[in-house]
C-alpha cells in the first residue's frame, strides 16, 4: 500500500556504514571543494588586480579596484550561483542527478580555465571578460550545490545521514584552505624570483609586468584541476535509487544499481513503485496550497536561516583581506610590493581556515547525529541570495567613517568594527528563524516528507521537510 516503503530504499536507510558511503562522500564532496575554491580564491587576488590595472605611480598608494568593479568581480559569481541553483535544481529532477552532475562539472572546468585566460588590451576588457566567465563559473557551481547534497542524502542511511551530508559540506573548508595554499605557493615562487622593492620605496619597480599578471591567472585556473580529476568517478557513480524508482519509475534498474552498491540481492518491486508514483495525494507542486500546508513554515525557517547565515559567512570570507588590514595583520599596501601583498593575504586566510573554518566543519560532522540538526544550527546562527547581499553590502559598509581613510572612489561606511557587529546581529536573527526548522535526526527521507503515507495518516501528523515527488 501507499504506507509501505520500497525494499531498495529501506535497504539504503538501514545499511551499515560501508565503503561506498565514503566513496560517495569524496565524489560529492570534491564538488563542494571545487565550489569553495572557485568562489573564494577571487578574494586573494582582487588587491593584485587593483595594482596591475588601476595603479597611478604618482599616487602615494597603489591602485585598487573601483567600487563598481570590485563589486562586480567579487559578486558576479554569486549571481551566477543563484541562477544555477534554480536552473540545475529543476533540471536535476527532470534529467536525473547523475547526468546533470556531469554537465555542471564540465561547465566549472571550462569556466575556471577561461577565467584565468581573460583577454583584453585594457583594464575594462580584462575585467569584463573575467566577470563574464566567472558568472558562468558560478552558474555551474550553483548546480553543483543542490546536486551534491541531494546525491549524498539519497545514498546515506538514516543513522548517519547528517554526518555524511555534513562531511560533504565540510569539503568547503578544505577548498578555502587549498585556495590559500595555492596562492602561497604561487606568490612565494614569484616573490623569490622577482626581488622587488615596496611601493613606498619605488612605485614602478614594485610591480613587474607582465610577470605578475600571471599570478592571479594561475590561481584562478587551478580551480579546474580538482573538478577535472573527479569527472570520471562521478560518471561511474550510479543514479540514486530514489530518482530511478520514484521519478524515472524504473524499479528494475534501481534494484540492479543498488544491488551492486550494497552487494546484496534486491527485488525489483514494479507493482509497489507503480502504486507509490500514481498516488495522487503525493503529487503537488512547490507553490501549491498542499505544499504550503505541509512544509511552508519549514521552508521559511530553512531558507531564512541560510539567507542570514550566508550574509555573514560570505561577507567575512570574501573580505577577510580588509578585516586583516583593519586589525593590523597585514601592513598598509604601500609598505609591500604587489606580489608580497598576495602572499600576506593568502597566509592570513590559510591560518583562519586551518584554525577555525576546517575544525568548525568537522565538529559538525562529528556531533550532528548525536546532538541533532536543530542544536547544531543554533550554534551557527535562501543560501546564495544572502551571499549576494553580503558580498555587495559589506564592500561598502566596511569602509572607514573618516573620508580621508576610505579607499579611492569609495563613499564612507560604518567601519569594519561596526560591520562585524552588524553581521553578529544578522546571525542572531538566524537563531530565531531556526525555531521553525524541525529536527530530522534518525528519520528517512520518506518519513520526513510523508511521501508514502495516505491522506488519513497526513491528518494525524503534519511535520516533515521540504521535499516532494517532482511533478
Amino acid at each position: 500500500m501507499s504506507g509501505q516503503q520500497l525494499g531498495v530504499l529501506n535497504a539504503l536507510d538501514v545499511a551499515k556504514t560501508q565503503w561506498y558511503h565514503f566513496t560517495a562522500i569524496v565524489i560529492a564532496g570534491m564538488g563542494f571543494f571545487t565550489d569553495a575554491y572557485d568562489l573564494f580564491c577571487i578574494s586573494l587576488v582582487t588587491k593584485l588586480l587593483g595594482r596591475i590595472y588601476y595603479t597611478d605611480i604618482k599616487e602615494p598608494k597603489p591602485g585598487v579596484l573601483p567600487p563598481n568593479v570590485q563589486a562586480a568581480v567579487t559578486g558576479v559569481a554569486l549571481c551566477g550561483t543563484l541562477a544555477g541553483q534554480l536552473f540545475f535544481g529543476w533540471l536535476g529532477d527532470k534529467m536525473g542527478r547523475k547526468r546533470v552532475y556531469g554537465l555542471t562539472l564540465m561547465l566549472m572546468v571550462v569556466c575556471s580555465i577561461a577565467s584565468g585566460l581573460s583577454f583584453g588590451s585594457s583594464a575594462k576588457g580584462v575585467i569584463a571578460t573575467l566577470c563574464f566567465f566567472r558568472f558562468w563559473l558560478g552558474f555551474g557551481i550553483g548546480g553543483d550545490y543542490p546536486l551534491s547534497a541531494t546525491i549524498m542524502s539519497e545514498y546515506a542511511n538514516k543513522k548517519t545521514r547528517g554526518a555524511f551530508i555534513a562531511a560533504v559540506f565540510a569539503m568547503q573548508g578544505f577548498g578555502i584552505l587549498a585556495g590559500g595554499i595555492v596562492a602561497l605557493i604561487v606568490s612565494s615562487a614569484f616573490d623569490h624570483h622577482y626581488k622587488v622593492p615596496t611601493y613606498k620605496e619605488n612605485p614602478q619597480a614594485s610591480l613587474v609586468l607582465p610577470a605578475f599578471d600571471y599570478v592571479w591567472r594561475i590561481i584562478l585556473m587551478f580551480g579546474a584541476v580538482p573538478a577535472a580529476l573527479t569527472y570520471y568517478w562521478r560518471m561511474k557513480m550510479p543514479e540514486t535509487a530514489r530518482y530511478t524508482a520514484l521519478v524515472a519509475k524504473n524499479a528494475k534498474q534501481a534494484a540492479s544499481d543498488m544491488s551492486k552498491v550494497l552487494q546484496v540481492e534486491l527485488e525489483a518491486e514494479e507493482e509497489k513503485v507503480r502504486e507509490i508514483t500514481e498516488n495522487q495525494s503525493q503529487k503537488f507542486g512547490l507553490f501549491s496550497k498542499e505544499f504550503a500546508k505541509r512544509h511552508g513554515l519549514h521552508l521559511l525557517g530553512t531558507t531564512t536561516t541560510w539567507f542570514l547565515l550566508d550574509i555573514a559567512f560570505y561577507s567575512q570570507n570574501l573580505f577577510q583581506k580588509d578585516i586583516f588590514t583593519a586589525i593590523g595583520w597585514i601592513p598598509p599596501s604601500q609598505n609591500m610590493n604587489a606580489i608580497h601583498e598576495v602572499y600576506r593575504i593568502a597566509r592570513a586566510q590559510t591560518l583562519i581556515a586551518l584554525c577555525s573554518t576546517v575544525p568548525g566543519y568537522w565538529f559538525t560532522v562529528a556531533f550532528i547525529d548525536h546532538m541533532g540538526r536543530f542544536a547544531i544550527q543554533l550554534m551557527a546562527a535562501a543560501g546564495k541570495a544572502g551571499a549576494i547581499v553580503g558580498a555587495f553590502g559589506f564592500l561598502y559598509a566596511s569602509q572607514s567613517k573618516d573620508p580621508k581613510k576610505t579607499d579611492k572612489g569609495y563613499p564612507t561606511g560604518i567601519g569594519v568594527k561596526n560591520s562585524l557587529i552588524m553581521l553578529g546581529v544578522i546571525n542572531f536573527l538566524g537563531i530565531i528563524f531556526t525555531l521553525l526548522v524541525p529536527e530530522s535526526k534518525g528519520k528517512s527521507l520518506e518519513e520526513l516528507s510523508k511521501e508514502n503515507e495516505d491522506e488519513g495518516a497526513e491528518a494525524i501528523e503534519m511535520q516533515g521537510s521540504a521535499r516532494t515527488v517532482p511533478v
Side-chain angles (χ1 to χ4, degrees), residues 30-45:
M30 284 307 294
F32 275 84
F33 177 98
T34 307
D35 298 343
Y37 182 98
D38 287 332
L39 286 177
F40 295 116
C41 68
I42 194 67
S43 65
L44 298 166
V45 300

Side-chain angles (χ1 to χ4, degrees), residues 138-188:
F139 193 73
I141 290 172
D144 195 77
Y145 266 103
L147 290 171
S148 293
T150 299
I151 286 174
M152 192 65 248
S153 69
E154 294 183 351
Y155 262 101
N157 57 44
K158 289 195 295 185
K159 185 178 179 181
T160 56
R161 188 176 69 246
F164 291 158
I165 296 175
V168 171
F169 273 87
M171 295 299 287
Q172 281 189 312
F174 287 124
I176 296 171
L177 181 63
I181 292 173
V182 170
L184 278 174
I185 294 171
V186 175
S187 60
S188 182

Side-chain angles (χ1 to χ4, degrees), residues 70 105 133 138 154 230 245 247 258 322 444 461:
Q70 173 76 57
L105 191 65
F133 289 123
E154 294 183 351
T230 54
V247 182
M258 293 307 106
D322 303 301
S444 71
E461 187 177 7

Side-chain angles (χ1 to χ4, degrees), residues 149-303:
T150 299
I151 286 174
M152 192 65 248
S153 69
E154 294 183 351
Y155 262 101
N157 57 44
K158 289 195 295 185
K159 185 178 179 181
T160 56
R161 188 176 69 246
F164 291 158
I165 296 175
V168 171
F169 273 87
M171 295 299 287
Q172 281 189 312
F174 287 124
I176 296 171
L177 181 63
I181 292 173
V182 170
L184 278 174
I185 294 171
V186 175
S187 60
S188 182
F190 276 79
D191 197 25
H192 280 81
H193 187 270
Y194 298 94
K195 299 183 181 298
V196 296
T198 65
Y199 184 88
K200 191 174 184 179
E201 293 171 337
N202 190 328
Q204 189 164 6
S206 71
L207 184 63
V208 180
L209 294 175
F212 285 5
D213 191 55
Y214 295 135
V215 173
W216 67 269
R217 297 177 184 274
I218 293 171
I219 293 172
L220 295 189
M221 285 193 289
F222 189 84
V225 175
L229 290 176
T230 54
Y231 181 80
Y232 169 77
W233 296 107
R234 284 196 183 190
M235 294 299 97
K236 192 175 179 181
M237 193 177 187
E239 182 60 86
T240 67
R242 284 180 172 87
Y243 179 87
T244 304
L246 300 179
V247 182
K249 302 178 183 179
N250 191 336
K252 186 176 181 180
Q253 186 64 50
S256 174
D257 289 341
M258 293 307 106
S259 292
K260 295 175 183 176
V261 169
L262 297 172
Q263 296 182 337
V264 295
E265 198 65 35
L266 295 171
E267 180 185 352
E269 302 170 290
E270 297 181 5
E271 184 61 32
K272 190 180 290 186
V273 166
R274 190 177 302 111
E275 288 182 13
I276 293 174
T277 56
E278 291 178 357
N279 183 4
Q280 295 300 316
S281 68
Q282 299 301 329
K283 294 186 177 181
F284 52 88
L286 176 63
F287 301 105
S288 66
K289 290 183 179 179
E290 183 63 26
F291 182 88
K293 181 181 177 182
R294 290 189 181 197
H295 308 304
L297 286 179
H298 307 148
L299 182 61
L300 175 65
T302 303
T303 55

